[in-house]
Amino acid sequence: MPDVKIKHRLTDNLIISGKYKSVKDCLEQNRGANLGDADLGGADLVGANLGGANLRGANLRGANLRGADLVGAKGYVNFHTIFEEAVRRQKTEVFSDIEWSAIAHITIHPLCWDSIRKRFGGVMPHIFEVLADAGFTEWLNYWKKEGG
């Protein structure tokens, strides 16, 4: 088994290390671990169980989250990768054409919250409500808290 090391993305300190089949296997065996600020960029996390993990500040850029269990994950409010995966899991008809246009802009061009508010403020509440009903409440809570 290869040696897997998950490091803090800023300090390079080890968060988790050991002999695992893969990064996915490491995360699953350490479910609920505090992955805040972990460098998981580009990791293949297809089908991984990340439920309960604290992802605040982690680098997930380029990580493949298709089919990952994200229910109960925390700290994902600024992750476009998780937003894209959460939206992908919804039925096409739950969003209008205008909402799909906003979703496309947000996922293709990772926009900051201010840009999202300025460009798509009228359609985002419904998108976030749908995602909250699917178990992803952080975006709706953040939107309401920040005056969406």
Side-chain angles (χ1 to χ4, degrees):
M1 279 197 238
D3 197 27
V4 173
K5 295 178 181 175
I6 298 176
K7 295 182 177 185
H8 189 283
R9 67 183 182 88
L10 301 174
T11 66
D12 216 28
N13 291 338
L14 283 175
I15 295 173
I16 301 171
S17 69
K19 299 271 185 209
Y20 298 95
K21 295 177 194 171
S22 63
V23 172
K24 175 183 162 185
D25 180 48
C26 173
L27 294 175
E28 288 182 340
Q29 289 191 39
N30 292 282
R31 273 195 313 171
N34 182 354
L35 300 173
D37 294 315
D39 187 358
L40 299 170
D44 182 359
L45 302 175
V46 173
N49 186 338
L50 298 175
N54 177 1
L55 300 170
R56 190 173 320 276
N59 173 16
L60 290 171
R61 181 162 282 139
N64 186 346
L65 297 172
R66 192 161 290 254
D69 179 358
L70 299 165
V71 176
K74 300 171 186 78
Y76 57 82
V77 74
N78 290 312
F79 288 116
H80 292 81
T81 308
I82 294 177
F83 176 78
E84 182 177 354
E85 180 63 18
V87 167
R88 189 189 66 74
R89 295 176 184 189
Q90 307 311 306
K91 292 184 178 184
T92 306
E93 61 271 10
V94 300
F95 299 119
S96 68
D97 289 344
I98 293 170
E99 290 169 335
W100 277 115
S101 177
I103 290 165
H105 277 85
I106 292 166
T107 56
I108 293 169
H109 308 286
L111 301 174
C112 68
W113 279 101
D114 286 340
S115 294
I116 291 170
R117 282 182 205 293
K118 288 176 187 170
R119 292 182 179 187
F120 308 111
V123 300
M124 294 313 296
H126 180 254
I127 294 169
F128 293 144
E129 286 166 6
V130 168
L131 297 178
D133 287 345
F136 297 95
T137 58
E138 283 191 25
W139 292 300
L140 182 60
N141 292 340
Y142 184 84
W143 186 262
K144 288 178 178 178
K145 178 182 157 201
E146 297 299 315

